[in-house]
Amino acid sequence: MEQSQLKCAVVDDSRLQRLAIVKLIDEHSSLELVAEWNNAIETKNGLLDIQVDLLFLDIEMPILTGFDLLDDLENKPHIIFVTGKTKYAFKAFDYDAVDYLRKPLKKDRFNAAVEKALSMSRIGGENAIIEDDDYIFVKSNLKKRKIFLNQLKYVEALGDYVKLIMEEGDPIVVLATMKSFEAQLPEERFLRIHKSYIVNLDKVERYNSRNIEIADEKIPLSRHKKHSLIEALNNGQ
């Protein structure tokens, strides 16, 4: 479903810069300003109580930078960085930024960035078939990626990495141990059935004493994990 307006917030330690961004937001029919914050700590606390779809975020701020803020957030809104310097542009896109705007802002450039955010929001709305909080973020190829859990079929150990096998698209390779990645997954929905495999219990179609099947793929089942698998599948019924 297409979203008519994006709820947005502005984060900048300069009051004048916030006013400049707020003016552009007020003039855009697809944006609704819901908050202004002047530092990262205020923002982190404020996001606990306010739904924000789009964050206009400064980078250089006292105590914590905009990057520090994003590193601390589990659920991130769309981000448009607004800064006076170009040196952070490459790093900004490691955070899946919608856009990177330089101060002073120009209205046409601002509006173009907003259109990108609106387009991404529409695509997300069309593809979202699960709850908003039913995802995790992983770092792959120097970028943070959102992984929807109901699209994750299973996880395979790959040396110092893990490989995520999804319902659609190519596998996603993440720098992580199986133990650390398993800790990110809800235990009622995912089970480690082998030292090298974690499976989405909702995707299990058949199993025997040696392996399970997910979409015609056979995945080895450790002998001592069979009882845990049966118990988990029965609890999910």
Side-chain angles (χ1 to χ4, degrees):
M1 182 175 67
E2 186 170 329
Q3 192 167 346
S4 58
Q5 280 192 318
L6 294 180
K7 296 182 184 297
C8 60
V10 179
V11 185
D12 200 307
D13 61 315
S14 165
R15 181 174 178 273
L16 289 177
Q17 294 296 341
R18 290 201 308 274
L19 287 172
I21 301 171
V22 167
K23 183 176 184 294
L24 291 169
I25 290 171
D26 288 342
E27 293 173 353
H28 201 295
S29 61
S30 295
L31 299 180
E32 177 189 354
L33 180 69
V34 295
E36 294 179 52
W37 295 297
N38 63 19
N39 60 60
I41 296 172
E42 279 188 5
T43 304
K44 184 177 179 181
N45 292 331
L47 287 172
L48 297 174
D49 301 317
I50 299 174
Q51 178 193 339
V52 173
D53 303 310
L54 176 62
L55 200 62
F56 293 93
L57 180 62
D58 190 16
I59 294 175
E60 291 187 340
M61 294 181 289
I63 305 176
L64 296 177
T65 69
F67 295 134
D68 293 331
L69 168 66
L70 295 180
D71 288 338
D72 284 346
L73 294 180
E74 291 186 9
N75 299 325
K76 299 174 179 62
H78 292 306
I79 303 295
I80 294 178
F81 285 106
V82 184
T83 180
K85 299 179 180 179
T86 59
K87 66 180 182 178
Y88 300 111
F90 182 78
K91 183 175 180 180
F93 288 97
D94 286 346
Y95 290 84
D96 287 341
V98 174
D99 213 332
Y100 187 95
L101 302 181
R102 284 199 64 194
K103 303 171 183 177
L105 295 179
K106 296 181 180 179
K107 186 172 183 177
D108 58 345
R109 185 70 182 83
F110 175 88
N111 289 341
V114 171
E115 286 306 311
K116 289 183 186 178
L118 288 165
S119 177
M120 291 175 70
S121 179
R122 285 193 289 267
I123 292 171
E126 290 165 3
N127 292 338
I129 54 177
I130 56 178
E131 307 229 347
D132 287 345
D133 62 351
D134 198 19
Y135 59 80
I136 59 173
F137 278 96
V138 301
K139 193 166 187 178
S140 178
N141 293 329
L142 301 178
K143 291 186 177 181
K144 292 287 183 72
R145 294 188 59 170
K146 182 184 284 188
I147 302 297
F148 288 102
L149 296 182
N150 81 330
Q151 298 295 305
L152 175 57
K153 295 196 296 185
Y154 64 90
V155 182
E156 181 180 356
L158 197 68
D160 293 330
Y161 297 80
V162 296
K163 182 167 64 172
L164 313 186
I165 310 300
M166 309 299 294
E167 288 279 7
E168 298 179 359
D170 295 330
I172 299 167
V173 177
V174 178
L175 179 59
T177 64
M178 286 291 277
K179 183 177 180 180
S180 65
F181 194 81
E182 182 181 11
Q184 298 183 63
L185 299 171
E187 60 181 15
E188 70 276 9
R189 295 176 57 192
F190 289 85
L191 179 69
R192 190 167 183 177
I193 61 163
H194 184 277
K195 66 179 181 179
S196 298
Y197 292 93
I198 299 169
V199 298
N200 184 337
L201 294 167
D202 291 337
K203 307 298 182 183
V204 175
E205 297 175 357
R206 288 174 291 275
Y207 68 91
N208 56 32
S209 59
R210 291 185 174 184
N211 53 58
I212 71 165
E213 291 185 31
I214 295 178
D216 296 328
E217 296 180 70
K218 291 187 177 181
I219 301 169
L221 172 64
S222 293
R223 184 173 56 185
H224 69 280
K225 285 289 186 178
K226 183 179 179 182
H227 177 73
S228 297
L229 175 67
I230 295 171
E231 188 175 72
L233 291 174
N234 288 337
N235 288 339
Q237 289 179 353

